[in-house]
Amino acid sequence: MKNYFLQKFERELLKPIDRIPERFREVLKYSLDGGKRYRPLLVLASYKSCSGENTKRVIPIACSIEYVHTASLLLDDLPCMDNSPTRRNKP
């Protein structure tokens, strides 16, 4: 069973998608779907080791880090940066 923090994180991660133009929603859902989620877990572990148990405060920070990471992956895949014929093993 998934960690409680990761379940909350996954719900929060997709909330802002409803506020963006519809034509971008599928792209973002695809980009944010899946992954190992090591970065959010590292944020949580750091927070817990320093200050405590209220993980509600740290979830937005973990989401922000995941958004920045995802953006870096998308920007790296732009044709002007990397002209690979496949993305995620798909043409």
Side-chain angles (χ1 to χ4, degrees), residues 8-82:
K8 288 178 69 174
F9 168 80
E10 294 287 343
R11 283 193 302 272
E12 291 296 317
L13 187 67
L14 296 177
K15 275 187 181 179
I17 289 178
D18 294 334
R19 296 182 292 211
I20 63 169
E22 189 174 336
R23 65 183 185 180
F24 297 117
R25 286 185 196 150
E26 286 304 312
V27 172
L28 284 174
K29 283 180 183 177
Y30 176 79
S31 299
L32 292 168
D33 186 38
K36 296 174 284 295
R37 306 296 193 218
Y38 288 134
R39 285 161 297 281
L41 287 174
L42 286 171
V43 169
L44 173 66
S46 300
Y47 176 79
K48 282 186 148 192
S49 70
C50 293
S51 59
E53 296 296 318
N54 187 2
T55 58
K56 185 177 181 180
R57 296 176 64 190
V58 77
I59 288 178
I61 297 166
C63 288
S64 297
I65 289 172
E66 196 66 19
Y67 295 142
V68 170
H69 172 70
T70 300
S72 73
L73 295 176
L74 290 172
L75 292 171
D76 185 51
D77 282 347
L78 290 173
C80 65
M81 304 292 273
D82 174 14

